[in-house]
Amino acid sequence: MDAMEQRRNTIVDLVNKSGNIGFAQLKKNFPQISEMTLRTDLKALDEAKRIVRVHGGAKSVDVVIGTDDMLSRRLVRNIEAKQLIAQKALGFIRKDTTIFLDSGSSTTALASCMLDQSNLICTNSLTCAAELSRLNKPAIQVFGGAMNRYSMSVCGIHTVKEAQRVNFDQVFMGVTGYCSQTGFTCGVDEEAVLKKTVMGQAEQVVLLMDSSKIGVKSTYSFCGLDDVDILISDGCLPKEFQEECREHNISVI
């Protein structure tokens, strides 16, 4: 393997690990390589469909096209951001309320730090359920349905019917991407249906979304800004998006 091929393989690994990478960050990883050479690398990798070149850097193919990426891969992306989001979200959880935890890496991070207090916690996420099993005081209800081995969750008509029986005080939802044209999106049709169902029965909708999801357009839309009460992120959201949220009376944390 020559140096160019090795460098390009490393670039693909970096992009897939984080979901996206900025050009400035890429230069830091290859200080001896010229900007022109790195831009040529990105163009070649984009043409080979190994990454997607975007303004200012590159994104993972899985993230951009909205495929149902392996949860095990998502769990190791942007770990610090997800832990920060989870700690922020923890402050919004009230005792003696009914909560829904969506599937995903951010909600799994929240489940891992949930306090041992009286709540009814419903979820379709097997990883959230596993994290919550350490707690004694909450009642945990895991919805049934068809298992998605990639996201380690369940969805489908049976899951939706179970969710329709519950009125939620708060729901904490994961997001695959957000674009102003499409709103908030995910990569699986049945999961989008479940998200819509749960949000329609909630007193308060809380989205957990790190800043890497901005500008990412996945396949299925499940809500717009008008449907959200609180958005919890990593403190790095673009100013334009924060302004959009303010215009729709969303509290950005």
Side-chain angles (χ1 to χ4, degrees):
M1 182 184 300
D2 62 22
M4 181 186 70
E5 185 179 359
Q6 185 174 5
R7 183 179 67 252
R8 290 180 178 178
N9 287 340
T10 301
I11 291 172
V12 173
D13 288 342
L14 288 169
V15 173
N16 286 336
K17 184 177 179 180
S18 65
N20 63 71
I21 191 169
F23 193 75
Q25 184 180 352
L26 195 61
K27 287 194 293 183
K28 288 182 180 179
N29 281 276
F30 300 96
Q32 306 303 320
I33 306 301
S34 70
E35 287 191 15
M36 181 177 295
T37 298
L38 289 175
R39 294 187 191 280
T40 301
D41 288 340
L42 292 181
K43 181 179 179 182
L45 292 170
D46 179 81
E47 291 173 349
K49 302 187 186 307
R50 298 182 65 191
I51 63 162
V52 176
R53 190 168 54 149
V54 297
H55 179 70
K59 290 183 181 289
S60 161
V61 172
D62 288 331
V63 167
V64 172
I65 67 174
T67 53
D68 197 22
D69 194 10
M70 289 287 289
L71 179 63
S72 58
R73 288 169 61 176
R74 284 184 276 149
L75 286 170
V76 298
R77 289 180 186 152
N78 305 319
I79 295 175
E80 291 184 3
K82 288 169 184 174
Q83 290 175 341
L84 174 61
I85 291 168
Q87 287 299 320
K88 288 181 178 181
L90 197 60
F92 286 88
I93 296 177
R94 306 185 300 269
K95 187 178 179 182
D96 298 320
T97 56
T98 300
I99 297 166
F100 178 81
L101 289 185
D102 190 20
S103 62
S105 52
S106 293
T107 50
T108 299
L110 174 57
S112 71
C113 62
M114 290 277 284
L115 301 178
D116 195 9
Q117 65 184 26
S118 176
N119 290 105
L120 170 59
I121 306 175
C122 303
T123 186
N124 68 318
S125 166
L126 303 181
T127 52
C128 283
E131 294 290 350
L132 295 169
S133 66
R134 64 187 168 79
L135 304 176
N136 296 311
K137 294 180 181 179
I140 313 297
Q141 182 176 345
V142 183
F143 292 156
M147 186 175 78
N148 183 325
R149 291 178 175 83
Y150 294 95
S151 62
M152 292 303 292
S153 65
V154 296
C155 58
I157 186 62
H158 298 295
T159 321
V160 169
K161 285 184 175 180
E162 286 197 42
Q164 287 173 336
R165 297 170 51 241
V166 186
N167 296 313
F168 302 101
D169 294 296
Q170 294 175 299
V171 297
F172 293 85
M173 310 300 296
V175 173
T176 300
Y178 174 82
C179 287
S180 57
Q181 303 95 323
T182 60
F184 297 97
T185 56
C186 67
V188 179
D189 187 15
E190 290 181 329
E191 289 191 2
V193 173
L194 179 61
K195 288 174 186 285
K196 288 180 180 179
T197 300
V198 169
M199 291 172 65
Q201 296 170 214
E203 184 178 311
Q204 185 179 69
V205 174
V206 184
L207 293 193
L208 309 181
M209 184 180 77
D210 67 75
S211 54
S212 70
K213 307 295 178 66
I214 299 296
V216 175
K217 182 170 64 175
S218 195
T219 311
Y220 299 100
S221 300
F222 63 87
C223 78
L225 292 171
D226 288 331
D227 304 303
V228 179
D229 298 302
I230 298 171
L231 191 146
I232 301 178
S233 191
D234 52 8
C236 300
L237 294 172
K239 291 182 179 179
E240 296 83 359
F241 176 70
Q242 293 187 53
E243 181 58 33
E244 280 188 84
C245 289
R246 281 192 288 270
E247 290 174 358
H248 288 81
N249 297 315
I250 299 174
S251 297
V252 179
I253 309 301

